[in-house]
Amino acid sequence: MCLGVPMQVVSVGDGDIVAEIDGVRKEASLMLLDEEVKEGDFVIVHAGFAISKLDEEEALETLKLMREVFRPEDMA
């Protein structure tokens, strides 16, 4: 199963980011996003791309629901 997971941006590079959730860090391209992204923002990461920016409340609620449904290894 392939999921888009809300992650918090920990660093921004030239066209890419490093994002983290639950101690797991992933690199993701910003190629598909037309919004400015900065450290601390939340984005949905899917297949190596940041595909959507979302506010912290929405991200945390989504993660809460995902944790109720999926095992931890499903979300990594």
Side-chain angles (χ1 to χ4, degrees):
M1 179 185 317
C2 200
L3 296 172
V5 178
M7 301 183 83
Q8 190 168 27
V9 177
V10 294
S11 67
V12 179
D14 186 28
D16 62 358
I17 59 167
V18 174
E20 176 179 29
I21 198 67
D22 294 341
V24 176
R25 289 186 176 211
K26 300 274 185 184
E27 290 184 28
S29 171
L30 294 172
M31 180 190 307
L32 301 178
L33 258 174
D34 61 355
E35 299 178 67
E36 179 185 351
V37 175
K38 61 186 183 310
E39 288 181 18
D41 285 345
F42 283 86
V43 294
I44 295 192
V45 175
H46 175 70
F49 293 91
I51 60 171
S52 174
K53 187 174 167 182
L54 62 164
D55 66 41
E56 182 174 4
E57 183 178 336
E58 185 178 14
L60 296 177
E61 179 63 21
T62 301
L63 287 165
K64 178 181 174 265
L65 293 170
M66 290 177 81
R67 287 179 179 121
E68 291 175 8
V69 174
F70 298 107
R71 299 171 302 186
E73 59 269 19
D74 293 334
M75 293 178 52

